[in-house]
Amino acid sequence: MQRAAALVQRAYRPRTPCPWSRCQSSAAAEASAVLKMRPERSQRERILTLESMNPQVKAVEYAVRGPIVLKAGEIEMELRRGIKKPFTEVIRANIGDAHAMGQQPITFLRQVMALCTYPNLLDSPSFPEDAKKRARRILQACGGNSLGSYSASQGVNCIREDVAAYITRRDGVPADPDNIYLTTGASDGITTILKILVSGGGKSRTGVMIPIPQYPLYSAVISELDAVQVNYYLDEENCWALNVNELRRALREAKEHCDPKVLCIINPGNPTGQVQSRKCIEDVIHFAWEEKLFLLADEVYQDNVYSLDCRFHSFKKVLYEMGPEYSSNVELASFHSTSKGYMGECGYRGGYMEVINLHPEIKGQLVKLLSVRLCPPVSGQAAMDIVVNPPVPGEESFEQFSREKESVLGNLAKKAKLTEDLFNQVPGIHCNPLQGAMYAFPRIFIPTKAMEAAQAHKMAPDMFYCMKLLEETGICVVPGSGFGQREGTYHFRMTILPPVEKLKTVLEKVKDFHINFLEKYA
């Protein structure tokens, strides 16, 4: 005890300050005095501000993930915090994300992807031989037999060969693997081609013709590249058909202020769901040949055709069937993806583009541009390979694959008809037949008082409508103004992907909301 007390006393005994401590104290005091004498400095201005940033980026808008979706995220957070709402969940019907809406993956595709990702599974008896065969072929074409290696910028060679074989089977027209470019989803291919096409300034600036309504990727890329957007309107009164006379009008007017060089087609349509007839495609190709326009054919929904009197015709197939005068001269880039169809594999970001009649020197420039981003994700390339090289009759997985594919597409066809029928029973809503793709784009009547309320909130009328729908029902859809629409008309885009029972609930909620909305603002 005495020893412990002595230690405590010694620990707390005042010590003689050392000279070094005095120096430190003196220096600190001097520094403090100098700081007090200095005038306070405000934080310097940021280099990057809204005023100094790239104005083309600021001009970009992408409605599919715009203000409505941000608001949906806020509401979801409030629900998690226990804040009471007139609903228990947010239903994100704003985007074509099949698996997020409950669609099950295609077994064969995931089996091959599992084998490619973890090759040790190639020894497992749990996987079918046809899946193992495809996985081995893909891995043998990858550096180090691994999906983790870079590929050639144009994509893995054997996968490009499979894409070319798929196009040949589909169209009955030979496809050259050298004209195939694997991409990070179709969006990457569309953006890349537009980058090469856009040039000039003033009245010689490149004009890009796009359908209205359109998928907002097009307007966003056009803004980013500072190109000129040239709108041509689809005919809503004729099931969103494309009329060549409307193309002529748009081109004629555009030539007064830009140089139209590109014509974009979405078939089947997004957001409108129309499927173009063969005659319509012939007319469009003839128009592009006549006016010397580069054709972009967005065909990512080619498997999503539901109307019995409609059929998908690829632009490549029709172009070649029109004869060598067209097939040897019309420049065409067509696009496909793993994200839509019956696969719904959005997250893999797999896609391809086929570009034909490209000038040889431009081909070199395209490969150079693609090489800047090294290569598309190799896992996405592998997923694309399975889409274009599925099981065939006689293979072990064929029956299950066919059953799953037909189930997905059959359900989508039922939901397309259900959506059309229920919307058309609601006063003030009109929905054209959903011939293909995976969306409804109904026209909605908005009363004058609702327009005035929208103006007071500094919103477009259909944005106001969709925001109210979200706040009162938890249903997230995208206003038609985000896709473009004729002046004085209003729409919204809603996916048909939710399971049938949930889709029925969504449609009933929209119906009740719309009737109450009309009464409130009558």
Side-chain angles (χ1 to χ4, degrees):
M1 287 287 289
Q2 288 178 341
R3 186 179 177 191
L7 286 170
V8 170
Q9 277 186 337
R10 196 171 2 173
Y12 284 97
R13 186 181 300 156
R15 296 181 179 177
T16 305
C18 72
W20 176 247
S21 297
R22 283 197 300 273
C23 290
Q24 278 187 313
S25 300
S26 174
E30 287 176 17
S32 178
V34 169
L35 286 171
K36 285 178 182 176
M37 292 169 63
R38 284 182 184 171
E40 289 188 13
R41 290 182 180 177
S42 60
Q43 190 176 32
R44 77 175 192 180
E45 290 183 4
R46 296 277 190 257
I47 294 167
L48 185 59
T49 66
L50 282 174
E51 289 71 34
S52 67
M53 72 175 286
N54 184 333
Q56 272 64 62
V57 173
K58 192 158 58 172
V60 168
E61 292 183 4
Y62 188 64
V64 173
R65 296 199 174 191
I68 289 276
V69 182
L70 296 176
K71 182 67 176 176
E74 291 174 15
I75 291 173
E76 283 176 328
M77 290 182 68
E78 290 172 353
L79 286 170
R80 283 196 287 271
R81 292 201 303 267
I83 296 173
K84 295 295 180 186
K85 302 282 181 186
F87 47 86
T88 57
E89 66 170 332
V90 171
I91 299 173
R92 290 179 174 263
N94 60 295
I95 195 165
D97 191 349
H99 293 186
M101 281 291 172
Q103 180 179 309
Q104 293 303 300
I106 298 295
T107 302
F108 184 77
L109 189 148
R110 287 300 181 91
Q111 285 174 330
V112 179
M113 291 306 300
L115 291 163
C116 287
T117 305
Y118 189 58
N120 288 358
L121 293 174
L122 288 164
D123 297 324
S124 169
S126 300
F127 289 80
E129 283 304 315
D130 49 0
K132 290 179 180 180
K133 177 184 173 184
R134 284 163 175 77
R136 288 190 185 99
R137 182 168 183 267
I138 292 168
L139 289 171
Q140 286 166 6
C142 295
N145 292 330
S146 172
L147 287 191
S149 59
Y150 288 129
S151 76
S153 299
Q154 202 168 334
V156 174
N157 285 337
C158 78
I159 298 177
R160 291 194 292 119
E161 289 169 1
D162 287 346
V163 170
Y166 162 79
I167 294 170
T168 302
R169 289 194 308 272
R170 183 194 67 188
D171 296 340
V173 175
D176 183 349
D178 200 38
N179 291 335
I180 307 297
Y181 303 81
L182 300 178
T183 57
T184 309
S187 302
D188 172 46
I190 293 164
T191 302
T192 300
I193 287 291
L194 284 173
K195 277 182 182 177
I196 285 185
L197 281 161
V198 172
S199 65
K203 286 190 175 183
S204 65
R205 190 65 175 165
T206 298
V208 181
M209 301 180 70
I210 63 171
I212 298 295
Q214 52 107 17
Y215 177 51
L217 164 73
Y218 291 93
S219 54
V221 175
I222 289 166
S223 291
E224 185 181 349
L225 298 177
D226 198 24
V228 180
Q229 180 173 316
V230 179
N231 296 339
Y232 66 87
Y233 289 89
L234 302 176
D235 184 359
E236 184 172 10
E237 307 307 318
N238 191 21
C239 202
W240 298 111
L242 194 166
N243 188 312
V244 172
N245 288 331
E246 169 61 13
L247 291 178
R248 295 192 193 285
R249 177 210 61 79
L251 183 74
R252 183 177 62 252
E253 293 179 7
K255 283 181 175 179
E256 295 176 6
H257 60 272
C258 70
D259 177 20
K261 289 199 300 191
V262 189
L263 173 57
C264 302
I265 309 288
I266 308 173
N267 180 48
N270 175 13
T272 44
Q274 87 285 2
V275 178
Q276 289 180 8
S277 68
R278 192 186 190 287
K279 174 67 167 64
C280 176
I281 294 172
E282 283 182 4
D283 291 344
V284 169
I285 290 172
H286 178 75
F287 174 78
W289 172 81
E290 188 177 48
E291 299 292 347
K292 297 183 179 177
L293 297 171
F294 195 113
L295 266 177
L296 303 189
D298 183 340
E299 298 175 334
V300 301
Y301 296 99
Q302 59 189 260
D303 289 305
N304 301 102
V305 177
Y306 315 125
S307 293
L308 296 176
D309 56 347
C310 291
R311 184 182 164 199
F312 171 74
H313 302 274
S314 79
F315 268 73
K316 163 89 175 288
K317 176 182 174 67
V318 177
L319 177 66
Y320 273 76
E321 288 175 351
M322 289 174 70
E325 189 172 9
Y326 294 93
S327 62
S328 300
N329 292 296
V330 175
E331 293 155 275
L332 168 69
S334 51
F335 308 90
H336 196 16
S337 166
T338 62
S339 301
K340 309 304 175 187
Y342 58 90
M343 308 79 66
E345 294 283 5
C346 304
Y348 276 119
R349 307 307 300 131
Y352 76 74
M353 61 180 174
E354 181 187 24
V355 190
I356 59 174
N357 292 325
L358 200 61
H359 191 289
E361 291 178 359
I362 294 299
K363 204 168 190 175
Q365 295 296 316
L366 175 57
V367 172
K368 177 185 75 175
L369 184 58
L370 291 171
S371 69
V372 173
R373 55 94 157 112
L374 296 177
C375 68
V378 180
S379 55
Q381 296 184 49
M384 192 74 246
D385 185 76
I386 305 155
V387 173
V388 299
N389 185 24
V392 296
E395 287 190 307
E396 183 179 351
S397 301
F398 177 73
E399 286 188 14
Q400 182 182 3
F401 169 80
S402 299
R403 192 166 58 248
E404 290 177 357
K405 175 181 175 179
E406 288 165 12
S407 174
V408 170
L409 295 176
N411 278 332
L412 284 169
K414 288 176 188 173
K415 290 188 283 189
K417 191 72 174 82
L418 172 71
T419 303
E420 176 196 339
D421 290 345
L422 287 182
F423 272 149
N424 285 330
Q425 293 171 17
V426 184
I429 295 183
H430 173 72
C431 186
N432 271 324
L434 279 62
Q435 297 174 337
M438 48 184 61
Y439 314 99
F441 195 66
R443 184 169 173 173
I444 51 176
F445 171 70
I446 297 182
T448 303
K449 284 187 179 178
M451 293 188 199
E452 291 168 355
Q455 191 173 16
H457 285 82
K458 296 181 179 178
M459 290 183 185
D462 51 2
M463 172 67 85
F464 178 75
Y465 178 96
C466 292
M467 195 67 80
K468 289 293 181 186
L469 176 66
L470 173 63
E471 292 169 349
E472 294 179 24
T473 69
I475 297 168
C476 180
V477 298
V478 189
S481 49
F483 301 89
Q485 55 199 352
R486 281 198 180 274
E487 188 74 26
T489 68
Y490 305 102
H491 306 77
F492 64 81
R493 190 190 79 164
M494 186 190 88
T495 181
I496 61 170
L497 289 171
V500 172
E501 291 308 312
K502 180 170 271 192
L503 181 61
K504 286 179 181 176
T505 301
V506 168
L507 294 169
E508 285 296 328
K509 284 187 173 185
V510 173
K511 173 186 172 182
D512 294 342
F513 166 82
H514 187 78
I515 290 169
N516 291 334
F517 186 86
L518 293 184
E519 289 174 355
K520 181 177 180 180
Y521 293 102

